[in-house]
Amino acid sequence: MMGSGPTGRGARVLAAGRRAAPAEIHRTAYLRLHGARSEAEVKLRARRDGRVTYHAHVGSTDWPATARALVEIESGLAERGLACDRFGLTLSRAMSVPEAERAGVHKETGPSLRPDEWALLGEAAAIQPHLGDFMIGTPAGAEHARAALGAGVTTIGNLGQYWSFEVPGGQDALQVTEATVEAIGMLAAWRDRGALVHSYLDDGVAMQASHYGSYVGWAALERHVVEDLCGARLAHSYGGLVDEPWHRAVVHLAVDDVHDRDHLGSMVYGNTVDMRARDPRHNEEVLRRYLTIDLACQLHRPTGHAVHPVPLTEAERVPTGAENLAVQLLAHELEADVRRSGAVVDWVAAERTAGEVAAYARTFRDAALRLLLDDGVDVDDPVALLLALRMLGTRGLEDRLRLPPPRAVAALVPWKARHVRTVAAGLDDELPDLRGTRIVLAVLDVHDVVRDALLHALPRAGAEVVLLPSDATPAGVVHAAVAEDADVVVLGTYNGAALAVGRELAAAVALTGYEGPVIIGGKLNQDAGGDSPVDVVEDLRALGLQPAATLAEAAALLRGLRHRTFT
């Protein structure tokens, strides 16, 4: 199946990426402190020495505020003789397009880097910068990879977003794919100096899998593209949507297995799906539960993954530097407890189950490549292969391959599949009789769990649903509602641009004369220039929209619609 190297358009784009790689990589404050040329070099030492490394995720409204948060974290830890190794920068989705086009994309939560700010990323604190959001996998991927490497960022992603994130208004799939391969080529050029391609599995279509065999199978496919075809080194991340402690242990081992037990991971993202707004006691219990497993995994089979303590306010707003510092300190204390404890996992059972998952994953990868070859895809061309996999996704491959997993693997059902079913079932009792109601449904980013639940529940209530893709614009949603003669629009937005989205919706309603209600849900806040986004529920209501902070509120609004219709 594999030839002597990459072929076709992909080979040419990959070569162009290698040529475009910067001539030098800056040594950041963290790398100078550790006497290393790359983050990977420090990770290898930590893996060898059994040292656990730590990750923080930051991203205030702009870079200066973010830099202040980093200094607060670094200095607070240093007072106690501790350190954080790396930080992930939560960037605005506006960064997904080249700088010249950025003004046309909503500013969402997180900074949008100016050209002069790249060089500052590794100098604000001796914490190594990691760039994942809206880098590789976006139209600006190649441009950003070169700038990031030049700034000393040696772990760059997020390949997971290539499969699932869209720019509002749409994007050219071929251009994005070529930018992705070109960026991977740049990192391949610096592989010997420790450059890593990061992929957060939970951000991509891997989390669409019906069981963790396919999830890890997707990881095996990504490794094939990045390492076998493109010659770069891949660092996987997982965890934000992996809620069960047992699942976290099995995924840790199985992903390492499909990397031939030589994985150099980026970070294990903290469990975010079990966090609750304004419930710090519950959130601390969640934090301790998943960190215990993640720390134990690194002590049992070190992979270089940095563990990530999620601030207790994550479910409410962008956490502050002090809130990040507090959970970093808690995690270091917990590490000492885990080191003193006996085994917190039945490692014999975990290794056995992970082995079954990894074996299934390899079979899934090989069967997928054979299927695409039979479809006429040049599987040795990374551009052609990425495009074909993007079109199918995990569920598409599951449907076509029909590979039954072993019983132990089938029992490992990811959070997303379970949660969509649970939320949809709960809506059955909340929704009114919607027979004869036509609904345009759209979620304008990758947060699609509620969308998928509504897609199951609304038709069961009798509604006819018109689903729009995540790259739809707010104005496009209203125009679609007019064209489809829809009775109501249900729209979700999550990333700190709710008021900007609302204003576009209201303007489109005024322009088109659309008379149906527009229900807007999700995280109804707006990045207005302060440290954190501000609540805009009343602003949205003033625009004539119907905000719904929860699904129960959305269902109540739909009940009100039916009442008005029939009275």
Side-chain angles (χ1 to χ4, degrees):
M1 190 178 301
M2 279 289 297
S4 57
T7 60
R9 183 193 295 265
R12 296 190 294 275
V13 174
L14 193 62
R18 285 179 171 272
R19 291 193 299 270
E24 295 293 334
I25 293 178
H26 173 67
R27 291 184 73 201
T28 63
Y30 176 86
L31 297 180
R32 296 194 302 271
L33 176 68
H34 287 272
R37 298 187 302 170
S38 69
E39 182 189 358
E41 187 176 336
V42 182
K43 281 180 173 290
L44 285 167
R45 294 178 197 165
R47 190 175 71 175
R48 180 196 64 205
D49 298 340
R51 181 175 77 86
V52 176
T53 59
Y54 288 87
H55 174 92
H57 229 64
V58 297
S60 299
T61 189
D62 57 25
W63 170 248
T66 303
R68 290 193 295 272
L70 287 169
V71 171
E72 189 171 7
I73 294 167
E74 180 187 40
S75 59
L77 288 169
E79 288 174 5
R80 298 159 177 87
L82 304 172
C84 178
D85 291 88
R86 67 200 311 272
F87 73 91
L89 188 56
T90 303
L91 291 166
S92 167
R93 187 162 55 152
M95 286 290 293
S96 58
V97 299
E99 187 191 359
E101 303 171 26
R102 213 166 288 162
V105 179
H106 290 309
K107 169 70 167 67
E108 296 180 346
T109 302
S112 184
L113 294 175
R114 301 194 308 265
D116 61 314
E117 290 175 334
W118 288 91
L120 307 177
L121 295 178
E123 299 302 321
I127 306 175
Q128 179 66 9
H130 157 95
L131 291 175
D133 285 343
F134 313 121
M135 294 279 137
I136 293 176
T138 70
E143 173 185 310
H144 289 339
R146 193 175 196 285
L149 278 171
V153 185
T154 56
T155 305
I156 307 170
N158 172 4
L159 181 61
Q161 292 184 344
Y162 166 76
W163 314 108
S164 55
F165 277 45
E166 295 277 356
V167 176
Q171 57 194 26
D172 183 313
L174 178 59
Q175 185 272 325
V176 172
T177 304
E178 290 188 343
T180 299
V181 172
E182 185 177 351
I184 294 172
M186 292 182 200
L187 291 162
W190 284 96
R191 175 177 176 147
D192 292 344
R193 278 278 303 271
L196 299 172
V197 177
H198 157 76
S199 179
Y200 179 32
L201 290 164
D202 297 14
D203 256 357
V205 293
M207 192 42 80
Q208 300 285 355
S210 60
H211 54 78
Y212 277 112
S214 301
Y215 175 99
V216 179
W218 194 268
L221 279 167
E222 289 188 346
R223 186 192 178 201
H224 170 71
V225 173
V226 172
E227 299 197 353
D228 298 340
L229 284 185
C230 297
R233 185 163 187 178
L234 180 62
H236 272 121
S237 173
Y238 64 90
L241 306 185
V242 184
D243 59 333
E244 295 286 344
W246 175 249
H247 292 176
R248 295 179 80 87
V250 170
V251 168
H252 170 81
L253 297 170
V255 170
D256 190 39
D257 282 348
V258 297
H259 280 268
D260 302 323
R261 298 203 176 194
D262 188 32
H263 191 204
L264 202 59
S266 45
M267 75 281 197
V268 186
Y269 209 92
N271 172 7
T272 58
V273 295
D274 284 336
M275 294 287 189
R276 298 175 186 165
R278 295 171 293 281
D279 195 346
R281 181 175 297 180
H282 166 83
N283 293 345
E284 184 173 330
E285 290 175 0
V286 172
L287 180 75
R288 289 180 179 276
R289 187 162 56 245
Y290 78 72
L291 279 178
T292 297
I293 296 297
D294 296 347
L295 289 163
C297 285
Q298 288 305 314
L299 298 177
H300 172 73
R301 198 200 288 181
T303 54
H305 282 94
V307 299
H308 173 219
V310 176
L312 305 184
T313 55
E314 174 82 9
E316 304 167 36
R317 53 179 169 75
V318 177
T320 65
E323 289 162 345
N324 265 288
L325 172 60
V327 292
Q328 288 282 322
L329 292 170
L330 188 154
H332 280 83
E333 291 175 4
L334 188 59
E335 180 190 341
D337 292 340
V338 173
R339 286 183 180 275
R340 288 191 295 266
S341 302
V344 298
V345 173
D346 180 346
W347 291 115
V348 173
E351 293 279 6
R352 181 174 60 249
T353 303
E356 290 189 70
V357 170
Y360 179 92
R362 295 186 188 99
T363 300
F364 182 92
R365 174 200 62 201
D366 295 344
L369 293 173
R370 285 194 298 271
L371 173 73
L372 294 174
L373 190 64
D374 290 344
D375 285 349
V377 176
D378 182 355
V379 296
D380 289 332
D381 178 344
V383 168
L385 181 54
L386 284 173
L387 281 168
L389 289 172
R390 181 184 172 104
M391 184 174 296
L392 276 172
T394 313
R395 295 307 296 268
L397 284 175
E398 284 185 347
D399 290 344
R400 291 193 62 189
L401 294 176
R402 298 188 178 279
L403 290 174
R407 182 177 301 176
V409 177
L412 300 170
V413 181
W415 170 84
K416 186 171 185 179
R418 288 182 280 116
H419 193 62
V420 166
R421 289 199 297 265
T422 300
V423 172
L427 281 168
D428 288 342
D429 295 328
E430 297 274 353
L431 291 171
D433 180 351
L434 292 170
R435 282 175 291 183
T437 305
R438 193 167 173 82
I439 298 175
V440 165
L441 174 64
V443 173
L444 303 186
D445 63 22
V446 76
H447 295 88
D448 55 7
V449 171
V450 170
R451 181 203 68 192
D452 290 354
L454 286 169
L455 201 55
H456 283 82
L458 289 171
R460 288 206 295 258
E464 184 177 356
V465 178
V466 178
L467 177 66
L468 301 183
S470 62
D471 63 0
T473 63
V477 172
V478 176
H479 283 281
V482 173
E484 296 287 347
D485 194 23
D487 299 291
V488 61
V489 169
V490 178
L491 177 144
T493 180
Y494 287 83
N495 289 330
L499 184 55
V501 168
R503 285 171 175 156
E504 283 195 32
L505 287 170
V509 167
L511 180 67
T512 62
Y514 176 67
E515 296 180 350
V518 178
I519 298 172
I520 179 170
K523 287 198 179 294
L524 301 180
N525 55 27
Q526 177 72 37
D527 187 332
D531 285 346
S532 297
V534 297
D535 183 273
V536 293
V537 167
E538 293 307 317
D539 303 85
L540 294 170
R541 192 169 281 120
L543 289 169
L545 307 175
Q546 298 194 23
T550 66
L551 275 175
E553 291 181 17
L557 289 170
L558 288 170
R559 285 196 299 274
L561 167 69
R562 294 299 292 170
H563 178 74
R564 288 193 302 274
T565 301
F566 294 115
T567 57

